[in-house]
Amino acid sequence: MPTTNKRAEVNRRSGWGEWLGPFFTSDLGLKWLMALTGIGLLGFVLVHMVGNLKVFFGAEEINLYAESLRELLYPLVPKQSVLWMFRIGLAAMFVFHIWAAWVLTNRSHKARGDIKYQAKRRYDAVNYASRTMRWGGVIILLFLIFHLADLTFGYANPEFVPGDVYNNMITSFERTPVAVIYIVAQVVLALHIYHGAWSMFQSLGLANPRFNDWRRWFAVAFAVVILVGSTSMVLAVQVGYLTL
Amino acid sequence: MDVRLRVWRQPKGDVTGEFIDYEANDVSPEASFFEMLDQVNEALNHAGEDPIAFDSDCREGICGACGLMINGSPHGPQQGTATCQVHMRKFTDGQLITIEPWRAAAFPVIKDLVVDRSIFDEIIESGGFISANIGSAPDANAVPVPHTAAESAMDAAACIGCGACVAACPNSAANLFTAAKITHLNLLPQGQPERYLRTVAMVETMEEYFGSCTNFGECETACPKNISIDVIAWMNRDFVAAQWKNLLKAGQA
């Protein structure tokens, strides 16, 4: 049966990951990288939230906490050195996570082919969270840029005072449009975590019929904790519970 | 019962295809989906037209030849069932049924609803051999196999290679197929000598043609054999382990 419609060899591995070793040119290796960086980022999101919940204890407590980050392991090491290690590591995790997602998305789009199904697909397992991982990730990245401009560098907050974390949070969250941005971003992040914190177990090969239910519960719990904890600060300012 | 069909027609691989509407009248609700298509084809034959080409062989759900995207569901509305075992009672009278071939860059259409899935054979082929004693059959229990391993391996070996996992996957990933084939050997003692070489070889062949798994889980629900995505996790684990194991060139496993 002659056919000239040959299968396209769509995913000849690009050399982008070659310097990390051949493992990181493979889809499975990149997914493994995404899972590991995802764990690191989950840890960051959790610690970041727990630390900033100190805002409920008052200006002195949270400003002390912020200052203490600069003095981690001081006087053993110079001030801010541990903080910069964390920052660089965190930036690296973001870069690898996003780079892997980019490479894998391109490969999958090529593998999908040109002709789409005409009938509306009936999805039985795909959910809103898993379907929005890619664009959700983009939204989270945009939010991250805004968040840094708002509370780290202060470009987005005219009343920003370097070092006065309490003042910066209150003056930022008081603005209703900003509060909406924060809350929407946390919902998107929670959805990302709902799929990601479950999916990472699959990517790392951690599956066992005895414990599989726990993976889902872990992801749900993590997403809920982040959503409730993070939005509580914004809402507390909006309803007037936290004021200057 | 009467149903309306919207069928993908494509005379051959390199020609553009299109949807053509047909009517299937007086179909018994107890007829299988293919018996309904046979009925339509018989009418087309009588009218001197080209019958609708579709793959089918055993028609009892064990060969993996058949596979149609029916109303956006791989193998139709009934889960855990290949297209050949879907019956017309699963549809309603007068319903419009859209029938499409599997869509993926790695599965080019040969004709109408028939796609070329020989890339699956290439994945199997790259897996190579297993080392086993030849000669007279060994004693039944000469090689102890844990019961749970035997069960899980059997579940994975149920894969009939129909391609529904690829068709269902929004990424066109073939991870469920490849993982099922890898797992059913990797769980058993007979599969151990080449375990890690096989895993890498099959994964590499798969990745040349298919997309990347994002753990949607859609393949699991499309699979006519209900193969669990646990096998994908086990493949991932063996692939990572293989990176270290295969470094040991002296041959220790």
Side-chain angles (χ1 to χ4, degrees):
Chain A
M1 200 178 299
T3 163
T4 56
N5 190 3
K6 286 270 174 272
R7 288 186 296 268
E9 206 178 275
V10 290
N11 285 335
R12 256 292 164 224
R13 293 173 184 181
S14 72
W16 275 80
E18 200 66 57
W19 63 277
L20 283 167
F23 178 59
F24 292 105
T25 59
S26 73
D27 295 359
L28 266 53
L30 287 171
K31 284 297 286 184
W32 192 73
L33 184 66
M34 284 193 79
L36 286 189
T37 51
I39 290 171
L41 294 170
L42 283 177
F44 163 71
V45 166
L46 184 68
V47 171
H48 184 60
M49 182 203 76
V50 170
N52 285 315
L53 282 174
K54 285 238 156 58
V55 74
F56 286 107
F57 298 153
E60 208 170 301
E61 280 272 348
I62 188 158
N63 289 351
L64 185 71
Y65 152 72
E67 192 52 37
S68 76
L69 286 179
R70 298 170 192 276
E71 294 174 14
L72 281 176
L73 289 188
Y74 176 82
L76 175 65
V77 293
K79 279 189 184 180
Q80 292 209 39
S81 55
V82 174
L83 183 62
W84 272 106
M85 278 167 59
F86 276 132
R87 282 174 174 164
I88 292 166
L90 202 54
M93 285 193 285
F94 269 109
V95 168
F96 282 128
H97 197 76
I98 293 165
W99 167 69
W102 174 261
V103 172
L104 292 172
T105 302
N106 280 338
R107 288 182 185 177
S108 291
H109 282 175
K110 273 191 236 162
R112 182 75 275 182
D114 303 326
I115 307 175
K116 306 276 178 265
Y117 292 113
Q118 167 153 327
K120 189 175 157 38
R121 281 295 310 278
R122 190 194 80 184
Y123 286 122
D124 298 309
V126 170
N127 57 41
Y128 188 75
S130 62
R131 231 178 17 193
T132 54
M133 286 305 274
R134 286 162 185 157
W135 283 110
V138 171
I139 292 172
I140 292 166
L141 179 63
L142 292 175
F143 165 74
L144 176 70
I145 294 166
F146 169 76
H147 184 48
L148 287 173
D150 183 36
L151 287 174
T152 303
F153 304 115
Y155 305 140
N157 184 0
E159 293 172 69
F160 185 82
V161 179
D164 191 352
V165 178
Y166 188 81
N167 166 72
N168 298 341
M169 282 172 79
I170 304 290
T171 53
S172 178
F173 297 163
E174 266 174 358
R175 301 169 292 173
T176 308
V178 173
V180 170
I181 290 175
Y182 271 92
I183 290 169
V184 169
Q186 294 313 306
V187 172
V188 175
L189 178 63
L191 285 170
H192 203 77
I193 292 172
Y194 173 80
H195 184 68
W198 170 83
S199 173
M200 67 185 190
F201 290 105
Q202 281 289 113
S203 301
L204 293 173
L206 302 173
N208 185 324
R210 276 184 70 187
F211 306 116
N212 280 353
D213 287 349
W214 288 98
R215 305 185 303 180
R216 178 45 81 203
W217 285 115
F218 170 78
V220 170
F222 211 106
V224 168
V225 165
I226 296 298
L227 181 65
V228 171
S230 300
T231 51
S232 70
M233 295 177 251
V234 182
L235 291 172
V237 173
Q238 275 290 312
V239 300
Y241 178 73
L242 288 177
T243 48
L244 279 178
Chain B
M1 62 190 286
D2 304 332
V3 288
R4 294 175 298 138
L5 305 178
R6 178 161 295 165
V7 185
W8 180 260
R9 300 303 307 266
Q10 183 173 345
K12 54 181 183 167
D14 51 356
V15 176
T16 328
E18 57 178 340
F19 282 95
I20 296 184
D21 288 0
Y22 298 95
E23 279 186 12
N25 296 324
D26 297 325
V27 178
S28 161
E30 310 308 324
S32 77
F33 196 78
F34 284 152
E35 283 166 343
M36 181 273 293
L37 282 179
D38 289 340
Q39 205 174 316
V40 173
N41 275 346
E42 213 157 303
L44 286 174
N45 265 334
H46 278 297
E49 288 176 46
D50 199 19
I52 301 164
F54 59 89
D55 255 340
S56 80
D57 189 18
C58 72
R59 299 206 177 190
E60 55 180 13
I62 57 167
C63 77
C66 68
L68 301 175
M69 189 60 115
I70 302 169
N71 281 343
S73 269
H75 289 304
Q78 192 176 346
Q79 284 198 1
T81 310
T83 308
C84 58
Q85 295 202 296
V86 172
H87 289 81
M88 293 310 293
R89 56 177 173 267
K90 292 286 165 187
F91 301 90
T92 52
D93 198 29
Q95 191 181 350
L96 173 69
I97 304 173
T98 307
I99 309 172
E100 297 166 83
W102 292 162
R103 297 289 189 202
F107 288 169
V109 171
I110 295 172
K111 185 179 180 184
D112 295 345
L113 304 170
V114 182
V115 297
D116 177 4
R117 289 168 297 143
S118 56
I119 187 62
F120 273 8
D121 300 332
E122 219 169 289
I123 294 174
I124 298 285
E125 202 182 319
S126 68
F129 52 86
I130 63 160
S131 295
N133 289 326
I134 56 166
S136 58
D139 279 349
N141 293 316
V143 183
V145 180
H147 178 72
T148 45
E151 291 292 341
S152 302
M154 190 63 202
D155 288 347
C159 172
I160 53 178
C162 64
C165 42
V166 176
C169 180
N171 299 310
S172 286
N175 289 41
L176 191 66
F177 167 78
T178 312
K181 294 304 176 193
I182 286 176
T183 300
H184 91 262
L185 292 174
N186 284 11
L187 285 174
L188 296 174
Q190 293 87 345
Q192 294 313 304
E194 295 81 19
R195 178 176 183 171
Y196 295 104
L197 295 172
R198 172 174 54 242
T199 304
V200 170
M202 291 177 74
V203 166
E204 283 183 347
T205 309
M206 168 189 83
E207 289 183 352
E208 282 172 26
Y209 301 97
F210 294 98
S212 146
C213 176
T214 53
N215 301 319
F216 279 121
E218 198 59 30
C219 51
E220 184 183 67
T221 59
C223 178
K225 298 294 145 188
N226 289 327
I227 295 172
S228 162
I229 54 172
D230 285 355
V231 296
I232 296 179
W234 298 336
M235 170 178 75
N236 293 342
R237 184 160 63 195
D238 275 4
F239 184 73
V240 173
Q243 306 303 315
W244 304 106
K245 305 265 187 189
N246 291 347
L247 284 176
L248 303 173
K249 295 296 187 195
Q252 311 94 316

